[in-house]
Amino acid sequence: MNSTRNLIAYQTIVRKEVTRMLRVWTQTLLPPIVTMTLYFVVFGKFIGSQVASIDGFSYMQFIVPGLVMMSVVMNAFMHTVSSFYFAKFQKTLEEILVSPTPYWVVIAGYVTGGVVRSLLTGSLVLGVALFFTRIHFAHWPAVFLFALLAAILFSLFGLINAVFAKSFDGVFIIPNFVLTPLTYLGGVFYSIELLPAFWQSVSLWNPMVYIIDGFRYGILGVADTDIVLAFGILVSFVCAAFLFTWWLFRTGKGLRT
């Protein structure tokens, strides 16, 4: 009976999240597609035509995995942080917290919503990329695993941000001042092997390097880092983020006053 009840609770949260996303698709799905199309045109066509090939691939082909992963990361984060914060702001979250629904079910429901939106957006961006260049998928399992784990991880980060956010401004602090710099410095537009030795060492402390590198390996078959190490780091971050999120729910920090 408990398993059935938990499944119904999970499905209800997921349905609410997906319905909310599709209802305002012009705000959730369309802007990332337009933004990434501009990236492909400006960086891929105009600037990329003047840039030498990297690892045997044209510059346009090289930046496709990074731009797709940028879309996945940003949309996973923004979905959960905005949805969960509004649930706090409108006091609807209290109805969930006082119910017998386990915290892990609540977390899984919101995270699944973020994963659905981010992977859908990433797929649409990848489809747009096919209009600009030819893409050969070298390792499908790596494409799926790194995209899925990245979506889960940043959906969890979005929940954590929403728990601590005290105002609408707090919702956008992390995306603007943390995620965007880490993403741009994570190898989206360049190979870290092109950097001086010192900056290569610094880049290896950026988790986005491993996420983008793993996804690029799945699509192009080339990588700047060890893929097994990248996968292990990503799995470790996912586990740590989930446990920390569950602890926040369990202790009520940022959720109960």
Side-chain angles (χ1 to χ4, degrees), residues 27-54:
Q27 302 175 32
T28 56
L29 300 179
L30 187 58
I33 296 174
V34 174
T35 300
M36 292 304 160
T37 300
L38 292 175
Y39 276 119
F40 288 133
V41 172
V42 175
F43 288 95
K45 285 295 184 183
F46 298 159
I47 298 178
S49 60
Q50 308 300 317
V51 178
S53 62
I54 302 176

PDB file of all heavy atoms in Angstrom, residues 27-54:
ATOM      1  N   GLN A  27       7.906  30.220 -22.733  1.00  0.00           N
ATOM      2  CA  GLN A  27       8.875  30.705 -21.753  1.00  0.00           C
ATOM      3  C   GLN A  27       9.892  29.639 -21.364  1.00  0.00           C
ATOM      4  O   GLN A  27      11.003  29.970 -20.940  1.00  0.00           O
ATOM      5  CB  GLN A  27       8.151  31.184 -20.496  1.00  0.00           C
ATOM      6  CG  GLN A  27       7.134  32.289 -20.718  1.00  0.00           C
ATOM      7  CD  GLN A  27       6.369  32.629 -19.453  1.00  0.00           C
ATOM      8  OE1 GLN A  27       6.888  32.541 -18.355  1.00  0.00           O
ATOM      9  NE2 GLN A  27       5.108  33.004 -19.619  1.00  0.00           N
ATOM     10  N   THR A  28       9.513  28.372 -21.485  1.00  0.00           N
ATOM     11  CA  THR A  28      10.388  27.295 -21.030  1.00  0.00           C
ATOM     12  C   THR A  28      11.175  26.616 -22.149  1.00  0.00           C
ATOM     13  O   THR A  28      12.326  26.220 -21.947  1.00  0.00           O
ATOM     14  CB  THR A  28       9.564  26.215 -20.296  1.00  0.00           C
ATOM     15  OG1 THR A  28       8.525  25.743 -21.162  1.00  0.00           O
ATOM     16  CG2 THR A  28       8.931  26.801 -19.034  1.00  0.00           C
ATOM     17  N   LEU A  29      10.582  26.471 -23.321  1.00  0.00           N
ATOM     18  CA  LEU A  29      11.232  25.739 -24.405  1.00  0.00           C
ATOM     19  C   LEU A  29      11.733  26.635 -25.535  1.00  0.00           C
ATOM     20  O   LEU A  29      12.810  26.392 -26.091  1.00  0.00           O
ATOM     21  CB  LEU A  29      10.259  24.699 -24.990  1.00  0.00           C
ATOM     22  CG  LEU A  29       9.750  23.625 -24.021  1.00  0.00           C
ATOM     23  CD1 LEU A  29       8.774  22.690 -24.743  1.00  0.00           C
ATOM     24  CD2 LEU A  29      10.889  22.827 -23.411  1.00  0.00           C
ATOM     25  N   LEU A  30      10.973  27.655 -25.877  1.00  0.00           N
ATOM     26  CA  LEU A  30      11.330  28.489 -27.028  1.00  0.00           C
ATOM     27  C   LEU A  30      12.584  29.351 -26.809  1.00  0.00           C
ATOM     28  O   LEU A  30      13.462  29.370 -27.689  1.00  0.00           O
ATOM     29  CB  LEU A  30      10.138  29.361 -27.422  1.00  0.00           C
ATOM     30  CG  LEU A  30      10.283  30.164 -28.714  1.00  0.00           C
ATOM     31  CD1 LEU A  30      10.551  29.219 -29.891  1.00  0.00           C
ATOM     32  CD2 LEU A  30       9.027  30.990 -28.970  1.00  0.00           C
ATOM     33  N   PRO A  31      12.708  30.071 -25.680  1.00  0.00           N
ATOM     34  CA  PRO A  31      13.889  30.932 -25.502  1.00  0.00           C
ATOM     35  C   PRO A  31      15.222  30.205 -25.615  1.00  0.00           C
ATOM     36  O   PRO A  31      16.148  30.718 -26.273  1.00  0.00           O
ATOM     37  CB  PRO A  31      13.676  31.538 -24.105  1.00  0.00           C
ATOM     38  CG  PRO A  31      12.204  31.513 -23.917  1.00  0.00           C
ATOM     39  CD  PRO A  31      11.736  30.261 -24.577  1.00  0.00           C
ATOM     40  N   PRO A  32      15.410  29.019 -24.978  1.00  0.00           N
ATOM     41  CA  PRO A  32      16.698  28.332 -25.130  1.00  0.00           C
ATOM     42  C   PRO A  32      17.017  27.976 -26.576  1.00  0.00           C
ATOM     43  O   PRO A  32      18.179  28.045 -26.999  1.00  0.00           O
ATOM     44  CB  PRO A  32      16.533  27.064 -24.283  1.00  0.00           C
ATOM     45  CG  PRO A  32      15.449  27.374 -23.322  1.00  0.00           C
ATOM     46  CD  PRO A  32      14.524  28.290 -24.054  1.00  0.00           C
ATOM     47  N   ILE A  33      15.980  27.612 -27.345  1.00  0.00           N
ATOM     48  CA  ILE A  33      16.202  27.257 -28.744  1.00  0.00           C
ATOM     49  C   ILE A  33      16.674  28.476 -29.531  1.00  0.00           C
ATOM     50  O   ILE A  33      17.616  28.408 -30.319  1.00  0.00           O
ATOM     51  CB  ILE A  33      14.927  26.668 -29.354  1.00  0.00           C
ATOM     52  CG1 ILE A  33      14.563  25.353 -28.651  1.00  0.00           C
ATOM     53  CG2 ILE A  33      15.100  26.446 -30.850  1.00  0.00           C
ATOM     54  CD1 ILE A  33      13.232  24.779 -29.082  1.00  0.00           C
ATOM     55  N   VAL A  34      16.017  29.614 -29.299  1.00  0.00           N
ATOM     56  CA  VAL A  34      16.396  30.852 -30.002  1.00  0.00           C
ATOM     57  C   VAL A  34      17.806  31.270 -29.616  1.00  0.00           C
ATOM     58  O   VAL A  34      18.635  31.619 -30.467  1.00  0.00           O
ATOM     59  CB  VAL A  34      15.387  31.973 -29.690  1.00  0.00           C
ATOM     60  CG1 VAL A  34      15.863  33.297 -30.289  1.00  0.00           C
ATOM     61  CG2 VAL A  34      13.999  31.620 -30.217  1.00  0.00           C
ATOM     62  N   THR A  35      18.103  31.206 -28.304  1.00  0.00           N
ATOM     63  CA  THR A  35      19.429  31.608 -27.819  1.00  0.00           C
ATOM     64  C   THR A  35      20.520  30.734 -28.414  1.00  0.00           C
ATOM     65  O   THR A  35      21.549  31.232 -28.897  1.00  0.00           O
ATOM     66  CB  THR A  35      19.479  31.532 -26.288  1.00  0.00           C
ATOM     67  OG1 THR A  35      18.497  32.391 -25.730  1.00  0.00           O
ATOM     68  CG2 THR A  35      20.852  31.940 -25.783  1.00  0.00           C
ATOM     69  N   MET A  36      20.323  29.408 -28.391  1.00  0.00           N
ATOM     70  CA  MET A  36      21.341  28.506 -28.911  1.00  0.00           C
ATOM     71  C   MET A  36      21.479  28.627 -30.429  1.00  0.00           C
ATOM     72  O   MET A  36      22.569  28.445 -30.971  1.00  0.00           O
ATOM     73  CB  MET A  36      21.007  27.066 -28.516  1.00  0.00           C
ATOM     74  CG  MET A  36      21.140  26.815 -27.026  1.00  0.00           C
ATOM     75  SD  MET A  36      22.800  27.249 -26.415  1.00  0.00           S
ATOM     76  CE  MET A  36      22.473  27.434 -24.652  1.00  0.00           C
ATOM     77  N   THR A  37      20.392  28.940 -31.115  1.00  0.00           N
ATOM     78  CA  THR A  37      20.481  29.162 -32.555  1.00  0.00           C
ATOM     79  C   THR A  37      21.397  30.346 -32.850  1.00  0.00           C
ATOM     80  O   THR A  37      22.211  30.307 -33.784  1.00  0.00           O
ATOM     81  CB  THR A  37      19.083  29.421 -33.151  1.00  0.00           C
ATOM     82  OG1 THR A  37      18.246  28.286 -32.907  1.00  0.00           O
ATOM     83  CG2 THR A  37      19.178  29.669 -34.649  1.00  0.00           C
ATOM     84  N   LEU A  38      21.281  31.400 -32.036  1.00  0.00           N
ATOM     85  CA  LEU A  38      22.165  32.556 -32.196  1.00  0.00           C
ATOM     86  C   LEU A  38      23.617  32.177 -31.938  1.00  0.00           C
ATOM     87  O   LEU A  38      24.523  32.659 -32.624  1.00  0.00           O
ATOM     88  CB  LEU A  38      21.727  33.680 -31.251  1.00  0.00           C
ATOM     89  CG  LEU A  38      20.389  34.340 -31.564  1.00  0.00           C
ATOM     90  CD1 LEU A  38      20.023  35.350 -30.479  1.00  0.00           C
ATOM     91  CD2 LEU A  38      20.435  35.036 -32.918  1.00  0.00           C
ATOM     92  N   TYR A  39      23.842  31.315 -30.941  1.00  0.00           N
ATOM     93  CA  TYR A  39      25.206  30.832 -30.682  1.00  0.00           C
ATOM     94  C   TYR A  39      25.757  30.094 -31.899  1.00  0.00           C
ATOM     95  O   TYR A  39      26.918  30.278 -32.289  1.00  0.00           O
ATOM     96  CB  TYR A  39      25.230  29.908 -29.470  1.00  0.00           C
ATOM     97  CG  TYR A  39      25.313  30.610 -28.134  1.00  0.00           C
ATOM     98  CD1 TYR A  39      24.314  30.464 -27.187  1.00  0.00           C
ATOM     99  CD2 TYR A  39      26.417  31.410 -27.818  1.00  0.00           C
ATOM    100  CE1 TYR A  39      24.386  31.103 -25.956  1.00  0.00           C
ATOM    101  CE2 TYR A  39      26.502  32.043 -26.597  1.00  0.00           C
ATOM    102  CZ  TYR A  39      25.486  31.888 -25.660  1.00  0.00           C
ATOM    103  OH  TYR A  39      25.569  32.520 -24.454  1.00  0.00           O
ATOM    104  N   PHE A  40      24.931  29.226 -32.484  1.00  0.00           N
ATOM    105  CA  PHE A  40      25.382  28.473 -33.649  1.00  0.00           C
ATOM    106  C   PHE A  40      25.717  29.404 -34.812  1.00  0.00           C
ATOM    107  O   PHE A  40      26.709  29.195 -35.518  1.00  0.00           O
ATOM    108  CB  PHE A  40      24.297  27.477 -34.087  1.00  0.00           C
ATOM    109  CG  PHE A  40      24.134  26.304 -33.159  1.00  0.00           C
ATOM    110  CD1 PHE A  40      22.870  25.912 -32.736  1.00  0.00           C
ATOM    111  CD2 PHE A  40      25.236  25.602 -32.708  1.00  0.00           C
ATOM    112  CE1 PHE A  40      22.716  24.828 -31.887  1.00  0.00           C
ATOM    113  CE2 PHE A  40      25.092  24.520 -31.858  1.00  0.00           C
ATOM    114  CZ  PHE A  40      23.830  24.132 -31.447  1.00  0.00           C
ATOM    115  N   VAL A  41      24.889  30.428 -35.003  1.00  0.00           N
ATOM    116  CA  VAL A  41      25.106  31.346 -36.114  1.00  0.00           C
ATOM    117  C   VAL A  41      26.345  32.201 -35.881  1.00  0.00           C
ATOM    118  O   VAL A  41      27.233  32.295 -36.753  1.00  0.00           O
ATOM    119  CB  VAL A  41      23.873  32.247 -36.324  1.00  0.00           C
ATOM    120  CG1 VAL A  41      24.178  33.326 -37.357  1.00  0.00           C
ATOM    121  CG2 VAL A  41      22.672  31.417 -36.763  1.00  0.00           C
ATOM    122  N   VAL A  42      26.426  32.818 -34.682  1.00  0.00           N
ATOM    123  CA  VAL A  42      27.520  33.761 -34.408  1.00  0.00           C
ATOM    124  C   VAL A  42      28.845  33.040 -34.210  1.00  0.00           C
ATOM    125  O   VAL A  42      29.849  33.351 -34.867  1.00  0.00           O
ATOM    126  CB  VAL A  42      27.181  34.629 -33.179  1.00  0.00           C
ATOM    127  CG1 VAL A  42      28.369  35.519 -32.825  1.00  0.00           C
ATOM    128  CG2 VAL A  42      25.942  35.464 -33.436  1.00  0.00           C
ATOM    129  N   PHE A  43      28.867  32.072 -33.271  1.00  0.00           N
ATOM    130  CA  PHE A  43      30.130  31.408 -32.954  1.00  0.00           C
ATOM    131  C   PHE A  43      30.470  30.308 -33.965  1.00  0.00           C
ATOM    132  O   PHE A  43      31.638  30.131 -34.320  1.00  0.00           O
ATOM    133  CB  PHE A  43      30.070  30.811 -31.549  1.00  0.00           C
ATOM    134  CG  PHE A  43      30.126  31.836 -30.458  1.00  0.00           C
ATOM    135  CD1 PHE A  43      28.948  32.318 -29.891  1.00  0.00           C
ATOM    136  CD2 PHE A  43      31.331  32.328 -30.006  1.00  0.00           C
ATOM    137  CE1 PHE A  43      28.988  33.268 -28.887  1.00  0.00           C
ATOM    138  CE2 PHE A  43      31.380  33.285 -29.003  1.00  0.00           C
ATOM    139  CZ  PHE A  43      30.210  33.765 -28.435  1.00  0.00           C
ATOM    140  N   GLY A  44      29.454  29.577 -34.404  1.00  0.00           N
ATOM    141  CA  GLY A  44      29.732  28.468 -35.305  1.00  0.00           C
ATOM    142  C   GLY A  44      30.001  28.888 -36.727  1.00  0.00           C
ATOM    143  O   GLY A  44      30.992  28.472 -37.336  1.00  0.00           O
ATOM    144  N   LYS A  45      29.116  29.728 -37.283  1.00  0.00           N
ATOM    145  CA  LYS A  45      29.238  30.120 -38.683  1.00  0.00           C
ATOM    146  C   LYS A  45      30.196  31.281 -38.890  1.00  0.00           C
ATOM    147  O   LYS A  45      31.151  31.203 -39.654  1.00  0.00           O
ATOM    148  CB  LYS A  45      27.852  30.470 -39.239  1.00  0.00           C
ATOM    149  CG  LYS A  45      26.962  29.273 -39.518  1.00  0.00           C
ATOM    150  CD  LYS A  45      27.543  28.411 -40.636  1.00  0.00           C
ATOM    151  CE  LYS A  45      26.594  27.261 -40.977  1.00  0.00           C
ATOM    152  NZ  LYS A  45      27.171  26.363 -42.021  1.00  0.00           N
ATOM    153  N   PHE A  46      29.939  32.398 -38.197  1.00  0.00           N
ATOM    154  CA  PHE A  46      30.719  33.600 -38.445  1.00  0.00           C
ATOM    155  C   PHE A  46      32.137  33.501 -37.895  1.00  0.00           C
ATOM    156  O   PHE A  46      33.117  33.685 -38.599  1.00  0.00           O
ATOM    157  CB  PHE A  46      30.009  34.816 -37.864  1.00  0.00           C
ATOM    158  CG  PHE A  46      28.666  35.082 -38.479  1.00  0.00           C
ATOM    159  CD1 PHE A  46      27.713  35.829 -37.825  1.00  0.00           C
ATOM    160  CD2 PHE A  46      28.354  34.577 -39.730  1.00  0.00           C
ATOM    161  CE1 PHE A  46      26.472  36.080 -38.397  1.00  0.00           C
ATOM    162  CE2 PHE A  46      27.114  34.808 -40.322  1.00  0.00           C
ATOM    163  CZ  PHE A  46      26.170  35.565 -39.637  1.00  0.00           C
ATOM    164  N   ILE A  47      32.243  33.195 -36.604  1.00  0.00           N
ATOM    165  CA  ILE A  47      33.569  33.099 -35.980  1.00  0.00           C
ATOM    166  C   ILE A  47      34.215  31.752 -36.295  1.00  0.00           C
ATOM    167  O   ILE A  47      35.413  31.678 -36.560  1.00  0.00           O
ATOM    168  CB  ILE A  47      33.461  33.313 -34.455  1.00  0.00           C
ATOM    169  CG1 ILE A  47      32.923  34.716 -34.168  1.00  0.00           C
ATOM    170  CG2 ILE A  47      34.808  33.104 -33.788  1.00  0.00           C
ATOM    171  CD1 ILE A  47      32.727  35.004 -32.692  1.00  0.00           C
ATOM    172  N   GLY A  48      33.413  30.685 -36.259  1.00  0.00           N
ATOM    173  CA  GLY A  48      33.966  29.353 -36.464  1.00  0.00           C
ATOM    174  C   GLY A  48      34.602  29.161 -37.819  1.00  0.00           C
ATOM    175  O   GLY A  48      35.529  28.350 -37.974  1.00  0.00           O
ATOM    176  N   SER A  49      34.110  29.896 -38.821  1.00  0.00           N
ATOM    177  CA  SER A  49      34.686  29.753 -40.157  1.00  0.00           C
ATOM    178  C   SER A  49      36.123  30.254 -40.220  1.00  0.00           C
ATOM    179  O   SER A  49      36.863  29.924 -41.145  1.00  0.00           O
ATOM    180  CB  SER A  49      33.825  30.516 -41.180  1.00  0.00           C
ATOM    181  OG  SER A  49      33.778  31.906 -40.853  1.00  0.00           O
ATOM    182  N   GLN A  50      36.529  31.049 -39.220  1.00  0.00           N
ATOM    183  CA  GLN A  50      37.887  31.582 -39.170  1.00  0.00           C
ATOM    184  C   GLN A  50      38.779  30.808 -38.202  1.00  0.00           C
ATOM    185  O   GLN A  50      39.953  31.155 -38.030  1.00  0.00           O
ATOM    186  CB  GLN A  50      37.841  33.060 -38.726  1.00  0.00           C
ATOM    187  CG  GLN A  50      36.891  33.937 -39.518  1.00  0.00           C
ATOM    188  CD  GLN A  50      37.245  33.978 -40.994  1.00  0.00           C
ATOM    189  OE1 GLN A  50      38.427  34.086 -41.348  1.00  0.00           O
ATOM    190  NE2 GLN A  50      36.239  33.888 -41.859  1.00  0.00           N
ATOM    191  N   VAL A  51      38.212  29.787 -37.561  1.00  0.00           N
ATOM    192  CA  VAL A  51      38.947  29.021 -36.560  1.00  0.00           C
ATOM    193  C   VAL A  51      39.351  27.672 -37.143  1.00  0.00           C
ATOM    194  O   VAL A  51      38.562  27.029 -37.844  1.00  0.00           O
ATOM    195  CB  VAL A  51      38.092  28.805 -35.289  1.00  0.00           C
ATOM    196  CG1 VAL A  51      38.845  27.965 -34.260  1.00  0.00           C
ATOM    197  CG2 VAL A  51      37.696  30.152 -34.688  1.00  0.00           C
ATOM    198  N   ALA A  52      40.580  27.251 -36.839  1.00  0.00           N
ATOM    199  CA  ALA A  52      41.069  25.964 -37.336  1.00  0.00           C
ATOM    200  C   ALA A  52      40.311  24.820 -36.675  1.00  0.00           C
ATOM    201  O   ALA A  52      39.707  24.976 -35.611  1.00  0.00           O
ATOM    202  CB  ALA A  52      42.564  25.841 -37.061  1.00  0.00           C
ATOM    203  N   SER A  53      40.338  23.668 -37.311  1.00  0.00           N
ATOM    204  CA  SER A  53      39.659  22.496 -36.754  1.00  0.00           C
ATOM    205  C   SER A  53      40.310  22.086 -35.434  1.00  0.00           C
ATOM    206  O   SER A  53      41.493  22.338 -35.207  1.00  0.00           O
ATOM    207  CB  SER A  53      39.714  21.340 -37.754  1.00  0.00           C
ATOM    208  OG  SER A  53      41.064  20.958 -38.003  1.00  0.00           O
ATOM    209  N   ILE A  54      39.517  21.449 -34.578  1.00  0.00           N
ATOM    210  CA  ILE A  54      39.996  20.988 -33.276  1.00  0.00           C
ATOM    211  C   ILE A  54      39.783  19.482 -33.212  1.00  0.00           C
ATOM    212  O   ILE A  54      38.654  18.998 -33.378  1.00  0.00           O
ATOM    213  CB  ILE A  54      39.246  21.680 -32.125  1.00  0.00           C
ATOM    214  CG1 ILE A  54      39.397  23.202 -32.221  1.00  0.00           C
ATOM    215  CG2 ILE A  54      39.744  21.181 -30.770  1.00  0.00           C
ATOM    216  CD1 ILE A  54      38.607  23.960 -31.162  1.00  0.00           C
TER     217      ILE A  54
END
